[in-house]
């Protein structure tokens, strides 16, 4: 009987010891995995071959990891692996991701489109400097905080060109009645030039061209290869000043506020470095690719007199854009005024 009791006591003590040891191991494991490492989930619509991915968000993530000694780690979902191009703001707000590509959220971030208007800047580097001043001087308070976002970095990309599958465009008359893929304010630009704009995200463009849904697309040369445009395009303008597109990545404001101060500083530094790096690279690549593609398609360099006709035709785009937003109570004229002020400061 004593032996049996002794055996029961030993079993109970052994069981308790195992439980305590397991608890101790669990606590130690939790500290090792959770106390030092910060993991952030990032998503966008770009294929990894796109410079906006490899030299944009990937460059940014690498710099943050370096600056924080790998205290911050990222889980990256490119090429619409999580949602379509227009979904990322909602995915941030729902907590599905922490950081996302918010350029297509024009319904909630309409003033972010200012640099996409025709003639807003001549190079990506210039546009980036001007726009980030506008972001810090107005848009963060006006658009991003109300949507519980914080912009991390933004780069207006090189000027868009008209690229077509079958019809050569070397004059304003050639643009009329073309069915063209468009995004954002480019719809106004194409409309003023007499084309028929069709809104669609970049990943849909190739299929639309292939099926004849559109006659052409508006793209910078730096976006041709990621979406295989050079495989289907026969003609492209080389120096049109149609306007462009603004690449913006944002983080959930609450997630950002809860980060340690040293991590915030690293993110801010990495954001500025990314803007400097990517805008310079895009300008260089745009020139290189225009030359490269001239052996695969006909690149039309518009004469200066023709360009002035296009510029004149595009002048109403600024007013149309502003009137549309002002009618909804959005201070577009104020944003334009500030943008032009910053542009003058940059050029001085």
């Amino acid at each position: 009987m004593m032996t049996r009791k002794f055996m029961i006591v030993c079993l109970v003590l052994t069981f308790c010891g195992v439980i305590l040891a397991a608890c101790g191991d669990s606590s130690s494991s939790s500290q090792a995995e959770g106390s030092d490492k910060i993991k952030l989930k990032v998503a966008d619509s770009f294929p990894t071959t796109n410079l906006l991915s490899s030299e944009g968000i990937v460059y940014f993530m690498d710099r943050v990891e370096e600056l924080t000694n790998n205290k911050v780690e990222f889980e990256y979902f490119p090429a619409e692996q999580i949602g379509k191009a227009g979904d990322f703001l909602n995915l941030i707000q729902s907590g599905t991701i922490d950081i996302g590509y918010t350029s297509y959220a024009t319904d909630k971030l309409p003033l972010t489109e200012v640099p996409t208007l025709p003639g807003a800047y001549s190079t990506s580097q210039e546009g980036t400097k001007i726009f980030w001043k506008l972001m810090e001087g107005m848009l963060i308070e006006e658009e991003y905080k109300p949507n519980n976002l914080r912009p991390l970095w933004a780069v207006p990309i090189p000027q868009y060109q008209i690229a077509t599958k079958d019809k050569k465009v070397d004059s304003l008359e050639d643009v009329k009645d073309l069915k063209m893929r468009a995004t954002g304010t480019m719809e106004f630009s194409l409309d003023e030039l007499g084309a028929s704009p069709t809104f669609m995200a970049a990943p849909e463009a190739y299929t639309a061209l292939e099926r004849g849904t559109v006659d052409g697309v508006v793209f910078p040369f730096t976006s041709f290869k990621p979406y295989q445009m050079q495989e289907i395009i026969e003609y492209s303008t080389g120096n049109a000043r149609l306007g462009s597109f603004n690449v913006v990545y944002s983080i959930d404001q609450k997630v950002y506020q809860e980060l340690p101060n040293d991590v915030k500083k690293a993110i801010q530094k990495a954001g500025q470095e990314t803007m400097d790096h990517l805008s310079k690279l895009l300008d260089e690549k745009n020139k290189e690719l225009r030359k490269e593609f001239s052996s695969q398609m006909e690149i039309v360099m518009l004469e200066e007199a023709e360009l002035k006709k296009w510029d004149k035709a595009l002048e109403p785009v600024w007013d149309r854009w502003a009137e549309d937003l002002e009618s909804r109570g959005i201070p577009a004229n104020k944003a334009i005024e500030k943008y032009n002020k910053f542009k003058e400061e940059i050029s001085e």
Side-chain angles (χ1 to χ4, degrees):
M1 189 76 175
M2 288 295 292
T3 302
R4 186 177 177 186
K5 285 183 179 180
F6 179 78
M7 289 176 62
I8 292 172
V9 169
C10 288
L11 287 170
V12 170
L13 290 173
T14 300
F15 178 76
C16 290
V18 169
I19 294 297
L20 289 171
C23 291
D25 288 345
S26 175
S27 174
S28 174
S29 174
S30 175
Q31 286 181 356
E33 294 177 3
S35 62
D36 294 325
K37 294 288 184 182
I38 297 170
K39 294 186 178 182
L40 298 174
K41 188 178 291 187
V42 182
D44 63 28
S45 61
F46 299 118
T48 53
T49 53
N50 194 318
L51 291 174
L52 301 178
S53 173
S54 61
E55 302 297 333
I57 190 62
V58 173
Y59 180 93
F60 170 80
M61 292 187 293
D62 288 346
R63 286 299 292 135
V64 172
E65 290 178 353
E66 289 169 7
L67 291 168
T68 61
N69 293 318
N70 294 315
K71 183 175 183 178
V72 176
E73 293 180 352
F74 295 95
E75 189 176 7
Y76 180 38
F77 298 89
E80 296 187 328
Q81 290 179 16
I82 299 183
K84 294 292 184 180
D87 296 338
F88 295 117
L89 187 146
N90 291 331
L91 291 172
I92 294 171
Q93 292 178 329
S94 68
T96 305
I97 59 176
D98 303 301
I99 295 171
Y101 168 57
T102 53
S103 297
Y104 283 105
T106 54
D107 55 333
K108 294 182 180 178
L109 306 171
L111 297 178
T112 296
E113 289 191 300
V114 176
T116 70
L117 295 165
Y121 58 89
S122 57
T123 66
S124 181
Q125 292 175 85
E126 180 193 30
T128 298
K129 290 175 183 177
I130 300 168
F131 180 69
W132 199 248
K133 278 181 170 287
L134 182 67
M135 182 71 86
E136 294 181 325
M138 178 182 176
L139 300 191
I140 289 177
E141 292 295 327
E142 187 71 39
E143 289 196 331
Y144 287 78
K145 283 188 177 179
N147 283 290
N148 299 312
L149 297 173
R150 182 181 180 87
L152 295 175
W153 59 268
V155 173
I157 62 180
Q159 294 291 301
Y160 273 30
Q161 302 301 320
I162 288 182
T164 51
K165 183 181 177 185
D166 299 311
K167 184 178 180 181
K168 180 179 177 179
V169 172
D170 58 11
S171 72
L172 200 55
E173 287 298 314
D174 295 325
V175 183
K176 290 182 179 179
D177 299 323
L178 285 177
K179 295 177 292 183
M180 298 292 297
R181 171 264 177 186
T183 57
T185 60
M186 199 60 61
E187 289 186 83
F188 288 138
S189 294
L190 290 169
D191 184 52
E192 291 295 333
L193 294 179
S196 299
T198 299
F199 183 87
M200 67 178 65
E204 301 169 30
Y206 186 95
T207 301
L209 275 169
E210 195 173 40
R211 293 176 178 174
T213 306
V214 295
D215 300 308
V217 299
V218 280
F219 265 137
F221 291 123
T222 50
S223 292
F224 274 35
K225 286 184 179 179
Y227 301 107
Q228 293 85 49
M229 290 294 104
Q230 78 283 2
E231 296 178 5
I232 197 169
I233 291 297
E234 293 293 331
Y235 308 96
S236 177
T237 57
N239 59 341
R241 301 187 281 249
L242 300 173
S244 192
F245 192 70
N246 197 14
V247 176
V248 185
Y249 281 80
S250 306
I251 187 172
D252 179 90
Q253 176 69 12
K254 184 179 179 182
V255 170
Y256 179 80
Q257 289 298 339
E258 292 177 350
L259 294 173
N261 288 332
D262 62 325
V263 172
K264 289 179 185 176
K265 289 179 181 178
I267 283 176
Q268 291 168 12
K269 180 176 175 60
Q272 185 60 58
E273 290 180 1
T274 301
M275 289 189 284
D276 294 341
H277 169 76
L278 181 58
S279 62
K280 181 180 179 181
L281 182 67
L282 287 174
D283 285 335
E284 293 171 350
K285 285 290 184 182
N286 197 56
K287 293 178 182 178
E288 292 174 13
L289 290 168
R290 185 174 67 189
K291 183 177 180 180
E292 177 185 333
F293 292 142
S294 63
S295 64
Q296 300 171 263
M297 64 188 74
E298 184 173 349
I299 305 292
V300 178
M301 300 300 290
L302 301 171
E303 298 289 340
E304 189 59 34
E306 186 65 29
L307 278 171
K308 287 180 179 178
K309 290 181 184 178
W310 290 47
D311 293 344
K312 185 69 175 176
L314 291 168
E315 283 179 2
V317 171
W318 288 74
D319 290 336
R320 284 183 61 179
W321 179 79
E323 288 170 7
D324 177 61
L325 295 185
E326 290 285 348
S327 69
R328 292 186 271 151
I330 300 169
N333 287 323
K334 179 182 176 183
I336 289 174
E337 181 182 347
K338 281 184 171 290
Y339 183 89
N340 288 330
K341 175 177 175 290
F342 294 138
K343 185 176 182 178
E344 289 178 9
E345 292 176 1
I346 291 294
S347 62
E348 290 176 354

